[in-house]
């Protein structure tokens, strides 16, 4: 991939992959490729979400500390 | 008058009239000193008593419209002023008193005690009747002598402590004839000014000097006074009736001025500075609290929304993964089923398979002779019978049609 997709684009891509795999009319090669791409994207998305949650918690904690 | 004329009898009325004339003309505006006995203050307001000494006594009346500065009591030595009058209906003579004053220090003290007891009984000294002094009066009324040290002390104290105060000064007679009446008038006048507190007083003196402050009319005026009243009569040790009735008693005129200005100018400035500081602190604190509350509310709901979104995405990713894995598994399953099927088919088509079961096939040269071809073509010719492990060269001798099938 030339350019890293944004999170929302990745989600869209996963949706497309699921749809395509659901149809089940692709060639096995093609399906495996899609499957691999899907797993890769979902892992990345999951990491992204974990980081986001951590960021939110950090912000919250930092804010609470400032409160006297 | 010819009342003793010869032996001619005169009537009782005529005689009494003559006596009345003689007595009332002769004893007009006299002063008599004596001891009070059998004093009666009738419900009508008139006073009746007997004035006596060791050897004589005389009936006295004092009508209710005459003012009395003290409460007389039996045994008190007094000087009365009045006129002898005759009461013809009874044949009595008596003194119609215009004034009564205690005759000496001991009597003044008795009068003082008597009035004190009376007023105390009437609730004049009750603390529940005392008005609190104002916290920061801007107008102070003063009634005292214009020439004494009292007014100088009061004014200089107010000037020193709180110069912004307006003083309403009413020069007042505080001693001698008419002083009680003047004090009453001063109290009544000063109540009508904007003053929030009233100081009435004078310097120290003898019991006679201070007497107007022991009179009932002054006590009444103080009791009815609508603004807080500070009494500053005499020195530390001199207590007057006015001091007891007053809302506050000050030992000296200076102390009275201090009571009337509870806060000095600099104390007030300090107070304001403190208040402003406190106010600013409160406002700052309040703003901070509100701000914190707002921020927490915002961050909490924002946090919740973000977490919700993250959870939604997580769920989506989980279900997507599940879905694509399921799809792929299904595909594998489908494919392997297909492969199984093909394999079975292949296995069934293997020409060697029947040989395993004991069947044989025949061939001529390299060509397998199928069922469609009749063996008639090979009569008397040599062909090969192929089994699993052996091949036999055979000759077709005869051909029979099978009845088997």
């Amino acid at each position: 991939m030339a350019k890293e997709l944004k999170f929302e684009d990745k989600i869209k891509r996963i949706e497309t992959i699921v749809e395509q795999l659901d149809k089940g009319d692709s060639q096995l090669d093609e399906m495996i490729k899609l499957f691999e791409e899907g797993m890769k994207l979902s892992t990345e998305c999951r990491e992204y979400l974990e980081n986001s949650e951590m960021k939110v918690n950090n912000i919250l904690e930092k804010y609470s500390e400032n409160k006297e | 008058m010819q009342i003793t004329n010869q032996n001619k009898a005169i009537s009782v009325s005529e005689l009494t009239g003559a006596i009345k004339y003689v007595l009332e003309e002769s004893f007009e505006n006299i002063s008599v000193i004596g001891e009070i006995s059998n004093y009666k203050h009738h419900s009508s307001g008139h006073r009746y008593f007997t004035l006596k000494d060791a050897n004589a006594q005389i009936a006295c009346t004092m009508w209710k419209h005459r003012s009395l500065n003290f409460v007389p009591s039996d045994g008190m030595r007094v000087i009365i002023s009045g006129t002898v009058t005759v009461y013809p209906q009874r044949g009595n003579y008596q003194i119609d008193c215009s004034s009564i004053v205690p005759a000496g220090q001991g009597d003044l003290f008795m009068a003082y005690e008597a009035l004190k007891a009376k007023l105390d009984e009437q609730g004049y000294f009750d603390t529940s009747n005392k008005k609190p002094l104002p916290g920061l009066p801007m107008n102070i009324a003063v009634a005292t002598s214009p020439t004494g040290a009292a007014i100088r002390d009061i004014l200089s104290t107010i000037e020193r402590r709180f110069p912004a105060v307006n003083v309403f000064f009413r020069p007042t007679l505080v001693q001698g004839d008419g002083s009680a009446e003047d004090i009453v008038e001063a109290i009544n006048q000063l109540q009508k000014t904007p003053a929030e507190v009233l100081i009435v007083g004078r310097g120290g003196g003898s019991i006679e000097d201070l007497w107007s402050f022991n009179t009932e009319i002054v006590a009444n005026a103080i009791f009815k006074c609508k603004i807080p009243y500070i009494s500053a009569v005499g020195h530390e040790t001199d207590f007057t009736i006015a001091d007891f009735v007053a809302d506050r008693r000050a030992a000296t005129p200076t102390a009275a001025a201090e009571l009337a200005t509870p806060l000095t100018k600099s104390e007030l400035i300090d107070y304001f500075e403190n208040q402003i500081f406190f106010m600013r602190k409160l406002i700052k604190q309040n703003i901070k609290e509100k701000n914190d509350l707002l921020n927490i509310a915002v961050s909490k709901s924002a946090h919740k929304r973000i977490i919700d979104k993250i959870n939604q995405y997580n769920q989506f990713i989980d279900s997507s993964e599940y879905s694509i894995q399921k799809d792929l598994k299904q595909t594998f399953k489908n494919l392997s089923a297909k492969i199984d099927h093909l394999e079975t088919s292949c296995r069934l088509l293997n020409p060697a398979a029947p040989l395993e079961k004991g069947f044989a096939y025949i061939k001529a040269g390299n060509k397998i002779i199928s069922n469609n071809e009749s063996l008639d073509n090979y009569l008397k010719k040599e062909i090969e019978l192929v089994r699993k492990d052996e091949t036999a060269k055979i000759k077709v001798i005869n051909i029979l049609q099978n009845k088997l099938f």
Side-chain angles (χ1 to χ4, degrees):
Chain A
M1 243 168 286
K3 203 170 123 193
E4 177 84 347
L5 284 174
K6 281 189 175 164
F7 175 76
E8 277 75 13
D9 295 332
K10 285 180 185 174
I11 292 291
K12 268 192 196 136
R13 179 68 189 140
I14 291 173
E15 257 173 341
T16 315
I17 289 170
V18 170
E19 246 172 63
Q20 208 155 336
L21 286 178
D22 263 348
K23 274 195 250 163
D25 58 358
S26 309
Q27 303 221 321
L28 184 58
D29 252 9
E30 184 60 24
M31 284 178 82
I32 289 172
K33 258 192 213 160
L34 286 173
F35 177 67
E36 189 179 6
E37 191 189 346
M39 289 305 286
K40 183 172 168 277
L41 288 177
S42 72
T43 307
E44 284 170 8
C45 285
R46 207 174 265 135
E47 268 172 23
Y48 177 83
L49 288 176
E50 254 171 51
N51 283 339
S52 301
E53 198 170 349
M54 216 147 70
K55 254 187 230 167
V56 169
N57 286 335
N58 283 346
I59 290 167
L60 215 61
E61 214 171 291
K62 186 176 153 199
Y63 182 75
S64 304
E65 271 167 20
N66 284 347
K67 215 180 66 163
E68 278 155 42
Chain B
M1 240 178 30
Q2 304 290 313
I3 48 174
T4 54
N5 198 4
Q6 281 87 30
N7 291 325
K8 188 184 172 209
I10 56 167
S11 69
V12 174
S13 294
E14 279 172 325
L15 177 61
T16 305
I19 290 170
K20 183 177 168 67
Y21 177 81
V22 170
L23 285 181
E24 290 181 2
E25 284 295 301
S26 308
F27 302 105
E28 201 182 350
N29 290 325
I30 50 162
S31 287
V32 185
I33 188 163
E35 185 181 299
I36 290 175
S37 78
N38 208 18
Y39 179 83
K40 285 205 178 71
H41 194 172
H42 196 266
S43 58
S44 62
H46 307 308
R47 301 113 177 161
Y48 303 94
F49 60 97
T50 304
L51 195 67
K52 66 178 186 182
D53 58 21
N55 301 312
Q57 61 179 40
I58 185 167
C60 295
T61 58
M62 189 185 212
W63 309 118
K64 69 171 176 186
H65 66 270
R66 308 268 197 204
S67 72
L68 196 52
N69 283 346
F70 68 102
V71 180
S73 59
D74 289 353
M76 187 183 283
R77 271 164 52 79
V78 292
I79 299 167
I80 59 146
S81 302
T83 299
V84 174
T85 61
V86 172
Y87 186 41
Q89 285 85 347
R90 291 223 176 144
N92 287 350
Y93 62 94
Q94 61 197 14
I95 301 171
D96 176 358
C97 303
S98 57
S99 82
I100 308 173
V101 294
Q105 284 238 348
D107 303 299
L108 284 175
F109 187 72
M110 277 179 74
Y112 169 88
E113 287 297 327
L115 180 61
K116 194 177 151 196
K118 178 183 163 186
L119 296 181
D120 195 9
E121 198 177 321
Q122 291 176 4
Y124 275 45
F125 309 152
D126 288 359
T127 46
S128 61
N129 287 328
K130 307 256 184 231
K131 291 180 281 296
L133 300 185
L136 188 70
M138 294 311 290
N139 300 292
I140 297 175
V142 180
T144 188
S145 162
T147 54
I151 185 62
R152 284 201 312 273
D153 291 348
I154 289 171
L155 290 177
S156 68
T157 303
I158 290 174
E159 178 64 25
R160 170 169 54 81
R161 288 173 63 82
F162 212 97
V165 163
N166 296 316
V167 175
F168 294 85
F169 174 49
R170 199 283 200 177
T172 308
L173 205 56
V174 291
Q175 169 173 352
D177 275 350
S179 58
E181 288 77 6
D182 198 41
I183 291 165
V184 170
E185 200 182 301
I187 292 171
N188 291 335
Q189 285 173 353
L190 288 170
Q191 282 180 70
K192 291 171 188 141
T193 67
E196 295 138 88
V197 60
L198 169 59
I199 299 171
V200 180
R202 51 156 293 154
S206 67
I207 187 165
E208 287 90 349
D209 290 342
L210 304 183
W211 191 253
S212 48
F213 292 97
N214 287 323
T215 60
E216 193 166 2
I217 54 167
V218 170
N220 278 328
I222 297 171
F223 189 66
K224 286 179 191 147
C225 183
K226 290 187 179 64
I227 57 175
Y229 181 104
I230 301 174
S231 177
V233 180
H235 297 305
E236 199 79 54
T237 50
D238 305 323
F239 269 90
T240 61
I241 298 289
D243 291 330
F244 292 116
V245 186
D247 296 306
R248 279 296 282 276
R249 186 244 176 186
T252 62
T254 300
E258 282 168 358
L259 282 176
T261 51
L263 272 177
T264 65
K265 187 180 162 188
S266 66
E267 280 168 349
L268 186 70
I269 289 168
D270 283 355
Y271 172 80
F272 279 140
E273 276 172 359
N274 274 334
Q275 289 296 303
I276 288 165
F277 174 78
F278 192 59
M279 227 152 61
R280 286 176 63 171
K281 205 175 127 187
L282 276 180
I283 290 169
K284 261 166 93 174
Q285 197 177 319
N286 203 289
I287 289 173
K288 192 180 169 344
E289 273 169 17
K290 294 278 189 300
N291 223 344
D292 285 356
L293 226 65
L294 182 68
N295 284 337
I296 287 169
V298 168
S299 75
K300 276 239 170 94
S301 77
H303 174 252
K304 196 177 171 303
R305 257 179 245 131
I306 291 170
I307 296 298
D308 279 354
K309 189 118 194 156
I310 286 173
N311 287 341
Q312 278 170 20
Y313 277 130
N314 269 326
Q315 198 172 353
F316 169 77
I317 287 164
D318 284 350
S319 73
S320 296
E321 268 190 4
Y322 175 76
S323 173
I324 60 179
Q325 282 175 11
K326 200 186 84 188
D327 286 345
L328 211 68
K329 268 188 200 155
Q330 189 57 50
T331 302
F332 276 125
K333 217 170 134 191
N334 292 347
L335 284 176
S336 78
K338 210 177 224 171
I339 289 163
D340 282 356
H341 179 69
L342 287 173
E343 198 190 329
T344 312
S345 304
C346 286
R347 212 174 275 141
L348 286 174
L349 291 175
N350 182 356
L355 302 188
E356 299 285 337
K357 293 170 184 167
F359 291 97
Y361 63 87
I362 49 177
K363 67 177 189 181
N366 282 328
K367 189 183 147 229
I368 290 169
I369 301 166
S370 74
N371 269 335
N372 301 331
E373 196 178 353
S374 173
L375 284 175
D376 287 345
N377 300 335
Y378 302 97
L379 196 61
K380 307 294 183 202
K381 283 179 185 165
E382 205 167 83
I383 55 174
E384 285 176 353
L385 178 74
V386 181
R387 294 185 71 212
K388 191 187 173 202
D389 298 320
E390 304 165 308
T391 298
K393 289 200 188 285
I394 54 171
K395 209 175 184 176
V396 181
I397 298 162
N398 198 9
I399 297 163
L400 305 170
Q401 293 298 314
N402 285 340
K403 299 279 196 293
L404 211 59
F405 304 107

